[in-house]
Amino acid sequence: MLLDVLGEKLEISYIDEGCGDVIILLHGWGARGETYRSVINMLTPHFRIIAPDMPGFGNSDEPSFPYTAEDYAEFVRAFAEKLGIEKAYIIGHSHGGRTAIKLVTSEKTKLSVEKMVLIDSAGLIRKKSFSQKMKILKFKIAKKLFAKAKPELIEKMRKKNGSADYAAASEIMRKSMVSVINEDLTLCLPKIKASTLLFWGENDTDTPMYQANKMKELIPDSGLVTVKGAGHFSFVADIGLTKRVLYSFFDIK
């Protein structure tokens, strides 16, 4: 699909399978729609599942400028409008959850969303340990002193201290990543009107359990399911549990 979004045309790859009420599935950072094949397959007998590769991921074009969380929400708005979708449920994992939160709480959104599933969702800023704070301080000092004289040193430090996703990304996507992870969506949570299921890995280290508990506390109509022993990809840790929970939430008999 050639999509006109945020002033430029991007070729967007997406999965569109099944029939019935629409579920838009939004993937995490560094992933793509196909990453969620197990979820797609369990839901397509009952729903039309649409899973785009968001700009800069999978087989979709990379934007020409760094995106913010609001930009990713704008992409979903434009994408749904292009497909003629006025009403949908949403499932968002990690970065996809962050995008879903921005989407459903924005005054620009015309898409009607009655139910939403946030799986190990991003959107809250993580508490930093003392060692992490020292690494950040060290990098900031080095950048200030050597950015012009020794740019190769700064880049080496950036790759060493950054995440695998950051190291693998292009310059534009690195700037996008910095932008989205540094935006705190706490104030958006009480504005969520959709009935929200929080599905979380007990041992998630990317979006820890305390963030799930905070979201449950602040989202008015929400419930939390914890997957024992699971990490950030909780939906594949126990496929049977994932299916039972989703079927219950979406009233599948």
Side-chain angles (χ1 to χ4, degrees):
M1 170 200 293
L2 189 62
L3 183 66
D4 191 347
V5 58
L6 295 168
E8 62 180 349
K9 294 185 183 297
L10 299 176
E11 190 65 41
I12 301 298
S13 176
Y14 65 101
I15 294 167
D16 188 347
E17 298 178 7
C19 59
D21 291 340
V22 174
I23 295 178
I24 298 175
L25 196 161
L26 303 175
H27 63 75
W29 195 272
R32 55 192 295 180
E34 192 61 35
T35 305
Y36 304 83
R37 175 50 59 185
S38 61
V39 175
I40 293 169
N41 288 347
M42 72 175 63
L43 292 175
T44 47
H46 309 279
F47 293 95
R48 178 186 175 191
I49 308 300
I50 301 176
D53 291 352
M54 289 192 277
F57 303 101
N59 291 322
S60 290
D61 286 344
E62 183 175 294
S64 62
F65 57 91
Y67 267 27
T68 63
E70 176 61 32
D71 291 336
Y72 277 107
E74 177 59 34
F75 158 74
V76 179
R77 285 193 289 270
F79 177 77
E81 184 177 347
K82 178 84 171 183
L83 290 177
I85 299 169
E86 298 179 351
K87 180 179 179 180
Y89 301 131
I90 293 181
I91 298 176
H93 172 239
S94 193
H95 170 63
R98 173 197 288 118
T99 302
I101 292 169
K102 288 291 289 188
L103 177 73
V104 301
T105 58
S106 172
E107 294 181 356
K108 299 178 182 178
T109 301
K110 297 178 181 179
L111 183 69
S112 175
V113 180
E114 293 182 358
K115 290 187 176 183
M116 178 168 68
V117 182
L118 300 178
I119 304 175
D120 301 292
S121 179
L124 301 180
I125 295 179
R126 286 189 58 181
K127 299 173 184 175
K128 293 180 175 63
S129 66
F130 177 77
S131 62
Q132 288 173 323
K133 289 179 181 179
M134 291 307 296
K135 282 183 179 180
I136 293 171
L137 178 60
K138 183 179 178 181
F139 177 74
K140 286 182 177 179
I141 292 173
K143 187 176 180 181
K144 187 173 183 179
L145 294 175
F146 304 116
K148 293 183 178 180
K150 297 183 178 181
E152 69 283 354
L153 172 64
I154 302 303
E155 184 62 21
K156 184 177 180 180
M157 290 180 68
R158 195 193 305 272
K159 288 183 178 180
K160 181 180 179 181
N161 295 318
S163 67
D165 284 336
Y166 184 88
S170 68
E171 186 62 26
I172 285 175
M173 296 308 293
R174 286 179 182 177
K175 290 180 179 179
S176 297
M177 186 177 186
V178 170
S179 173
V180 299
I181 66 174
N182 284 313
E183 182 174 357
D184 187 357
L185 303 187
T186 298
L187 296 180
C188 292
L189 301 179
K191 300 177 183 178
I192 295 176
K193 297 179 181 179
S195 179
T196 303
L197 167 66
L198 302 166
F199 193 83
W200 230 271
E202 177 187 33
N203 298 328
D204 189 339
T205 56
D206 293 309
T207 53
M209 276 301 306
Y210 75 83
Q211 295 188 347
N213 292 324
K214 185 173 182 179
M215 287 191 180
K216 182 178 182 297
E217 177 186 345
L218 294 177
I219 298 173
D221 181 12
S222 63
L224 171 62
V225 173
T226 304
V227 185
K228 297 292 185 181
H232 192 54
F233 285 76
S234 58
F235 63 95
V236 293
D238 188 334
I239 298 295
L241 175 62
T242 301
K243 183 175 181 178
R244 291 193 301 273
V245 170
L246 290 181
Y247 272 39
S248 176
F249 184 67
F250 289 121
D251 297 319
I252 300 173
K253 306 301 182 183

